[in-house]
Amino acid sequence: MFRIRLGQACCLVGLLPFTAVASNGLNLIGYGAESVAMGGADVAVAADTLALNTNPAGIARLGGRALDVHNAVAHALNVSHADSLGNDQSVSNRLVPVAGMGYVSRPMDSRCAWGVAFFGQGGAGFVYDDVKTVFGSVDEMSSLVRIGRLSPGVACETGGGLYLGAALAVSRADIRQKVFPSTSTGLFSGMDLKGAKGWGTTVKLGMLATVSKTLTLGVSFTPKVELPLRDGRLISNQTATGLGLVTYRDVKIDGLALPTELSIGAAWRPNDDWLLSADLSWLDWSAAATRSTLTARKPDNATASDIKLTSTLGWRDQMVLALGAAWTLKARTVLYAGLNLARNPIPSSHLTPILAPIGERHWTVGFKRALGSEWSLTFATEYQVRNTVTYTNPEFPLGLDATARNECVAMHVVLGRRW
């Protein structure tokens, strides 16, 4: 029984980590320092090249050529797990790096701009080195996933203050996961999964409408994209049944997907010094994170059986509210603040120590400083308010009334050039 149920949980947690620096499901709250500094309220702002991942219509307003290089690091303040078995520990991978960059060009006398951006859509995960199990062992439990995205796109000014844009979103994901790999009993075989990777493609559509000198409205839409993982290897610890460490050479995971997204936003300039923005987004997780299946074939021991494990994920849809403000302090300096609110989409009965509760509140601040006529530096700090959830997951044998905590801070910096 435990072999089946824990195997299902292995499949589940391997698909959906990256909660250390993400709020809206697998997505960051914003892309680029300015977007993050305004709490992700950027659909009607779209002020840099990374708008290709928020509202591609915005790149038509940049003019000339634009380059942005984004680097960030998140630090786990309190990402930890406790349960009735006596576990009470923090993750060992406390730092999570994120990076991205974008380039946009709008030829002279053209109504259209083109660009390309690459960025981390998601990644990292959690690592617990010494976890007590119901089998009496102390073992490792970890999940490391990376999701990167390449987005070439184009946007045009159609006249009357209306901008339309579209970007191709090509995503790549890979995974490395361990679930008690040194543990083997008659009921459970530890797992070490590596090398599974996959690609998925969708489009992002965007619109910006200048309603008046003070008001701009924005809309963006992204269809669901499947990310099936293939070509993995799985080492299954079947020592207790006399088979030793069995390596499965053909491993695939189905069920990983990024959801359909619809966002609407408004940006209001009451005067030359202030910009206020608000976004409301819907993420269709209930259709994207329904179930996952891990299939492992071609064992190197002919007496070992193939593995097929299916898990129900049951994520809920998210409504995300983002609020942001920008204040031009001086001609060369802008200050930012923001708030991002989003419900945790993961039912508590499906949580695991690796799949910690996703943050529901983010506070952000930042600034932008011009460095001469072409260069600028933008900095943002993002604080994810601690979210604590008590749960019992029947598919993961770690005792009753487990507690997961997630609190972190992230620093973002973007070096930009306009010429």
Side-chain angles (χ1 to χ4, degrees):
M1 179 65 71
F2 273 143
R3 177 184 299 184
I4 295 174
R5 288 185 173 179
L6 188 55
Q8 292 174 337
C10 171
C11 187
L12 184 156
V13 300
L15 296 181
L16 304 169
F18 198 51
T19 54
V21 291
S23 173
N24 310 146
L26 291 179
N27 299 329
L28 302 177
I29 68 167
Y31 294 88
E34 185 169 351
S35 170
V36 170
M38 297 188 70
D42 53 11
V43 174
V45 179
D48 60 23
T49 62
L50 297 178
L52 285 163
N53 198 41
T54 55
N55 186 349
I59 67 171
R61 302 196 301 178
L62 294 178
R65 289 175 291 177
L67 173 70
D68 295 297
V69 180
H70 174 216
N71 284 282
V73 62
H75 174 62
L77 298 175
N78 187 348
V79 179
S80 58
H81 164 81
D83 59 41
S84 60
L85 299 178
N87 291 302
D88 192 355
Q89 60 178 286
S90 299
V91 293
S92 58
N93 62 326
R94 301 183 70 88
L95 295 178
V96 180
V98 181
M101 65 180 300
Y103 173 79
V104 167
S105 175
R106 180 170 175 173
M108 187 177 298
D109 300 326
S110 174
R111 286 182 172 268
C112 297
W114 65 270
V116 60
F118 176 79
F119 42 87
Q121 178 76 18
F126 298 135
V127 177
Y128 290 92
D129 289 328
D130 301 301
V131 178
K132 300 175 184 177
T133 76
V134 293
F135 310 110
S137 61
V138 177
D139 211 338
E140 178 182 348
M141 181 168 50
S142 63
S143 183
L144 300 172
V145 173
R146 298 178 298 181
I147 303 177
R149 176 172 284 182
L150 177 68
S151 290
V154 63
C156 295
E157 180 180 3
T158 64
L162 181 66
Y163 300 82
L164 301 176
L168 185 67
V170 182
S171 300
R172 183 185 187 277
D174 59 49
I175 180 174
R176 173 68 191 269
Q177 183 184 79
K178 296 181 181 180
V179 179
F180 309 148
S182 299
T183 301
S184 179
T185 73
L187 298 174
F188 170 76
S189 298
M191 295 183 178
D192 184 352
L193 171 66
K194 64 184 74 175
K197 53 189 178 294
W199 296 83
T201 303
T202 187
V203 296
K204 181 176 284 287
L205 306 175
M207 180 187 72
L208 282 170
T210 304
V211 179
S212 67
K213 292 181 179 180
T214 60
L215 181 63
T216 301
L217 302 179
V219 179
S220 68
F221 175 75
T222 310
K224 172 185 173 182
V225 56
E226 302 278 357
L227 287 169
L229 305 180
R230 298 291 184 266
D231 302 322
R233 284 178 174 263
L234 175 68
I235 300 175
S236 176
N237 190 341
Q238 301 181 29
T239 304
T241 58
L243 299 181
L245 298 178
V246 180
T247 298
Y248 291 82
R249 299 182 296 273
D250 180 11
V251 179
K252 62 181 182 179
I253 299 175
D254 293 300
L256 175 60
L258 298 176
T260 298
E261 300 177 43
L262 176 63
S263 299
I264 57 174
W268 178 48
R269 285 192 175 274
N271 54 52
D272 292 338
D273 295 333
W274 281 94
L275 171 65
L276 305 176
S277 62
D279 289 357
L280 184 64
S281 301
W282 167 66
L283 290 85
D284 187 16
W285 287 113
S286 63
T290 56
R291 63 179 56 86
S292 62
T293 302
L294 180 149
T295 304
R297 300 173 58 250
K298 297 183 180 179
D300 61 0
N301 187 323
T303 60
S305 301
D306 290 349
I307 297 174
K308 185 172 183 178
L309 305 168
T310 299
S311 175
T312 300
L313 304 179
W315 277 39
R316 304 170 296 216
D317 288 356
Q318 270 188 316
M319 296 298 295
V320 181
L321 175 64
L323 304 172
W327 176 42
T328 303
L329 178 62
K330 296 180 180 179
R332 300 166 65 88
T333 304
V334 181
L335 304 181
Y336 301 100
L339 172 64
N340 189 284
L341 302 172
R343 182 181 71 162
N344 178 7
I346 310 171
S348 59
S349 60
H350 293 163
L351 288 176
T352 74
I354 308 176
L355 186 60
I358 286 176
E360 297 182 331
R361 288 179 293 159
H362 282 68
W363 292 97
T364 63
V365 294
F367 70 87
K368 182 177 183 179
R369 176 70 176 177
L371 306 175
S373 60
E374 293 186 351
W375 294 91
S376 65
L377 186 69
T378 308
F379 178 83
T381 299
E382 168 191 357
Y383 171 61
Q384 179 178 292
V385 179
R386 182 186 302 177
N387 192 14
T388 301
V389 177
T390 299
Y391 66 96
T392 297
N393 186 341
E395 294 184 346
F396 215 96
L398 281 173
L400 303 176
D401 297 327
T403 299
R405 313 176 190 95
N406 193 356
E407 177 187 18
C408 67
V409 63
M411 306 293 180
H412 301 255
V413 61
V414 166
L415 180 63
R417 186 186 181 194
R418 304 289 184 267
W419 73 105

